[in-house]
Amino acid sequence: MAQAKINEFPKVILDTNVLYSHKLEHLLEINSTFDLIVTHTPLYELTTTNKISSKPRDLGRARKALQALINLSQGPFEAYFLRPFEYVEALMNPNTSTRSPQLEYRVMFKFAQQIANGGMLNAEQEVKYKEIVEKENDRFKAWADIFALTQKRDTEGVSLLEKDINSDDAIWNCKYEIAYFITIFTYPAAKENLNPHTNKKLHESMIDKIENYDWEKLELFLSVYLEFKKNLVQNGNRSVQINDFWDLWNMVYVQPGSLYWTGEKKWNELIENAGLGHYIFRE
């Protein structure tokens, strides 16, 4: 099994829509010149879609996308299959114990292989598959709920994560929010109290990340995160869609020297607005 290669570049990190919109042969041709990388995001989206089922009519394009994912991946222990929060911790702290994807994702990878190779899930696998999907959907809903909480404004127009922050630096505020998510989802005890202003350990962990992370490794993600937040304000703080949150955090896998390939105009525009157009992969 190929080992994780977090710090080897150049690489091209893929958005899920690329796997849907390009034929496998075309992707493999590009992969002979560039190192195309699939991450946790397409693995999650493709293996939790309701198109993956024991019913042949539900497969279609999803099977072709899964074939691309399997062919381009390093296997079920691929470090890029770590959830984005866990990946950042592994990137910033090489000695962390979180170096391999959760067991359920190794199981889902096997299911993906089976379906990509033309097989179907048997009755026992179908039950297991539905259990994992339900669990992941519940977890993902929790992520979305917490994101909504960070955007919620009180009567003074101040959000939860902006309270008591003695800084007008927009980048610092983004780091604070990012550190919040990473801490919440990698430090289970933090979930007992989600308010960083009353949970001392949560707050201390967040500050530690802000001060000690090598944020240059997250240049694209941090800059686009800020542009995304600006865009929300300009559009009247519209509600954030789950896909927005998912697509945004897919950029944590892009380090300096890497490229990002998405077919979605919105994200390419935000990257350009951040002055980081050199990260965009252009065919």
Side-chain angles (χ1 to χ4, degrees):
M1 185 63 63
Q3 296 299 310
K5 300 182 295 182
I6 291 183
N7 293 314
E8 294 180 14
F9 304 110
K11 300 179 184 295
V12 180
I13 309 303
L14 305 183
D15 190 2
T16 308
N17 59 54
V18 173
L19 301 178
Y20 274 115
S21 61
H22 291 74
K23 292 183 178 180
L24 175 58
E25 295 77 11
H26 181 56
L27 292 174
L28 291 177
E29 180 181 353
I30 295 175
N31 197 46
S32 66
T33 306
F34 297 90
D35 190 3
L36 302 186
I37 301 295
V38 288
T39 69
H40 175 277
T41 298
L43 177 62
Y44 171 85
E45 292 184 330
L46 289 174
T47 55
T48 57
T49 175
N50 56 16
K51 295 182 177 63
I52 303 302
S53 168
S54 60
K55 299 177 183 179
R57 67 175 181 270
D58 291 337
L59 297 178
R61 293 172 62 224
R63 170 169 277 162
K64 292 181 180 179
L66 281 170
Q67 289 171 349
L69 183 147
I70 297 299
N71 275 275
L72 294 172
S73 76
Q74 296 280 329
F77 292 92
E78 170 66 81
Y80 287 101
F81 287 161
L82 288 170
R83 296 185 181 100
F85 317 107
E86 296 160 350
Y87 176 85
V88 173
E89 275 291 274
L91 183 70
M92 300 298 178
N93 302 296
N95 296 323
T96 181
S97 60
T98 306
R99 302 291 300 177
S100 183
Q102 298 292 324
L103 174 62
E104 58 260 35
Y105 273 91
R106 284 176 257 157
V107 174
M108 293 300 270
F109 187 89
K110 287 187 176 182
F111 289 169
Q113 282 181 311
Q114 190 169 322
I115 294 169
N117 291 332
M120 304 297 295
L121 302 183
N122 60 39
E124 183 179 349
Q125 290 174 322
E126 183 90 8
V127 171
K128 182 63 176 177
Y129 165 78
K130 289 180 178 178
E131 288 177 355
I132 294 175
V133 170
E134 183 176 347
K135 179 180 178 181
E136 284 302 287
N137 285 342
D138 287 345
R139 180 182 287 122
F140 195 38
K141 183 179 182 300
W143 296 354
D145 288 346
I146 291 174
F147 190 83
L149 179 65
T150 68
Q151 308 309 309
K152 187 176 181 180
R153 305 276 158 168
D154 63 16
T155 55
E156 297 178 351
V158 181
S159 76
L160 170 67
L161 293 186
E162 290 171 336
K163 287 178 179 290
D164 304 327
I165 296 177
N166 298 315
S167 173
D168 293 325
D169 184 347
I171 287 290
W172 195 94
N173 285 333
C174 282
K175 289 179 181 179
Y176 191 80
E177 188 168 309
I178 291 166
Y180 176 75
F181 280 103
I182 294 171
T183 303
I184 287 294
F185 295 112
T186 59
Y187 178 52
K191 296 180 183 180
E192 297 173 4
N193 177 357
L194 299 178
N195 191 325
H197 309 292
T198 57
N199 185 334
K200 183 178 179 181
K201 289 185 178 180
L202 170 59
H203 178 75
E204 290 176 347
S205 178
M206 292 163 61
I207 296 301
D208 178 70
K209 289 174 173 55
I210 292 171
E211 294 178 347
N212 295 308
Y213 271 5
D214 181 356
W215 289 94
E216 290 185 3
K217 292 181 179 180
L218 297 175
E219 178 186 41
L220 178 68
F221 173 60
L222 179 60
S223 299
V224 175
Y225 198 102
L226 177 58
E227 289 300 318
F228 180 71
K229 299 279 285 185
K230 289 179 182 177
N231 190 263
L232 286 179
V233 173
Q234 291 169 358
N235 288 280
N237 285 315
R238 67 173 179 79
S239 60
V240 178
Q241 302 301 309
I242 288 179
N243 285 345
D244 290 337
F245 182 73
W246 208 230
D247 291 345
L248 180 60
W249 279 85
N250 193 38
M251 295 184 199
V252 304
Y253 303 96
V254 186
Q255 275 65 71
S258 301
L259 299 172
Y260 190 60
W261 188 2
T262 178
E264 196 164 344
K265 181 180 178 181
K266 174 180 69 178
W267 295 112
N268 282 327
E269 288 181 345
L270 288 175
I271 293 172
E272 292 281 11
N273 292 343
L276 297 175
H278 57 281
Y279 274 96
I280 298 175
F281 177 77
R282 308 174 197 274
E283 289 187 80

